[in-house]
Amino acid sequence: MKQSFFEITENKPLTPTVFLMNLKGDTSDITAPGQFVNIKLDGFFLRRPISVCDVEGDTLTIIYKVVGGGTEKMSEMLPGEKLDILTGLGNGYDLDKSGNHPLLVGGGVGVPPLYMLARKLIAQGKQVDVILGFNTKDEVFYEEQFRALGATVRVTTADGSYGIKGFVTNALDGINYTYFYTCGPEPMLKALYKATSTGGQFSFEERMGCGFGACMGCSCKTVTGNKRICKEGPVLTKEDIIWEI
Ligand SMILES: Cc1cc2nc3c(=O)[nH]c(=O)nc-3n(C[C@H](O)[C@H](O)[C@H](O)COP(=O)(O)OP(=O)(O)OC[C@H]3O[C@@H](n4cnc5c(N)ncnc54)[C@H](O)[C@@H]3O)c2cc1C
Ligand code: FES
């Protein structure tokens, strides 16, 4: 884990409520897709965890949805302003398990951590299928960016206003995947857990306290004992998960 200052170089809306922020700084502790950063904001006691969307050299890209005071404050920040950020948090996705045809499934702001994962898997020569799930057309983002990487992309909207009508599980038919990776709201993760036939990895975006393993606030039960989502997660394997009914 590393604490350092990053300078905002871009902060722009992708949809009415979702923003992309590019920052320049020391990215050396970010080692795997699916890791997250924890951002200190003036006036807020707890840092706000946000997934790494991508890293290229000293540029960090994050994508965040405005849901409360912290993310609203972020959305008002301008290029040139600096943020105090902890990097290198969480385990991230394990690419070695992917097989030749991995499937990546993201829901809403669960989409961003899959971007760097797709980029890395495609660079390894893997055939990558992506399903992106949203509530409605206005919320869709990053479809073209995944296509530009060389992934095959399907988009679902719950209200049918764009792409396939329904949930991400409605888009699984006909994809002959070897393994899957996912991030999104818990009902989506549970549905995918049931609907998938292979092994896979799930990233959990729990509410957090410290974000680096000290407070136990994010502890959850798994097959292999209690795990802290911020430290031993946020990525857990399918075999490891015990859902609380
Ligand atoms: C490991 C991890 C990765 C994350 N990655 C992203 C990301 O890439 N992009 C993104 O937009 N968000 C992400 N989140 C969620 C993000 O941290 C919260 O939305 C943010 O902290 C809310 O701060 P706020 O001050 O704006 O809202 P608050 O005032 O803290 O909360 C406003 C509302 O949002 C809800 N909320 C707050 N935190 C969460 C959460 N973790 N999950 C679900 N609901 C929440 C609250 O219950 C409340 O209703 C991630 C969370 C974790 C733990
Ligand atoms: S948030 Fe403190 S241990 Fe995970």
Side-chain angles (χ1 to χ4, degrees):
M1 177 177 79
K2 186 172 271 182
Q3 178 180 1
S4 59
F5 284 88
F6 280 69
E7 183 176 329
I8 298 168
T9 55
E10 190 175 21
N11 193 21
K12 63 174 186 190
L14 296 177
T15 76
T17 54
V18 172
F19 285 70
L20 176 147
M21 185 183 274
N22 279 319
L23 305 116
K24 273 199 188 307
D26 181 354
T27 59
S28 59
D29 260 32
I30 301 171
T31 52
Q35 286 187 315
F36 65 97
V37 299
N38 220 352
I39 304 177
K40 188 167 166 40
L41 296 162
D42 286 346
F44 294 86
F45 176 62
L46 292 174
R47 288 174 180 264
R48 292 328 197 231
I50 301 288
S51 300
V52 171
C53 173
D54 203 11
V55 170
E56 294 260 23
D58 64 356
T59 298
L60 164 68
T61 304
I62 56 174
I63 292 178
Y64 61 95
K65 181 171 184 171
V66 176
V67 294
T71 45
E72 189 173 351
K73 187 163 187 111
M74 284 171 66
S75 72
E76 290 160 357
M77 296 187 79
L78 298 170
E81 291 190 71
K82 292 203 166 76
L83 281 170
D84 172 341
I85 298 185
L86 297 178
T87 55
L89 299 173
N91 55 355
Y93 292 111
D94 179 357
L95 280 69
D96 291 345
K97 305 244 174 79
S98 75
N100 288 327
H101 189 173
L103 170 65
L104 280 49
V105 185
V109 284
V111 167
L114 301 178
Y115 180 77
M116 183 173 166
L117 176 66
R119 187 166 69 72
K120 298 254 177 200
L121 288 167
I122 288 166
Q124 291 179 352
K126 306 291 164 68
Q127 183 191 342
V128 173
D129 264 74
V130 178
I131 302 174
L132 307 176
F134 302 93
N135 290 313
T136 189
K137 184 178 179 183
D138 281 357
E139 295 181 3
V140 176
F141 65 88
Y142 254 47
E143 177 187 7
E144 287 316 316
Q145 285 82 346
F146 278 95
R147 283 222 170 90
L149 291 176
T152 304
V153 183
R154 297 178 182 192
V155 176
T156 66
T157 51
D159 67 1
S161 52
Y162 188 78
I164 298 166
K165 182 175 167 56
F167 300 110
V168 292
T169 42
N170 295 102
L172 286 171
D173 275 359
I175 308 176
N176 201 12
Y177 55 94
T178 47
Y179 195 75
F180 69 90
Y181 298 89
T182 185
C183 184
E186 199 160 309
M188 184 201 98
L189 299 185
K190 281 186 179 168
L192 208 60
Y193 181 94
K194 284 193 193 142
T196 46
S197 48
T198 68
Q201 293 170 35
F202 295 74
S203 182
F204 289 85
E205 297 193 338
E206 298 276 322
R207 295 226 69 179
M208 284 182 182
C210 68
F212 52 82
C215 73
M216 306 306 283
C218 63
S219 185
C220 75
K221 265 192 202 155
T222 74
V223 171
T224 48
N226 282 345
K227 289 192 175 168
R228 293 160 297 180
I229 292 290
C230 70
K231 188 82 176 169
E232 288 84 28
V235 177
L236 300 179
T237 63
K238 191 175 184 185
E239 312 83 67
D240 226 9
I241 295 169
I242 304 170
W243 295 115
E244 283 179 23
I245 312 280

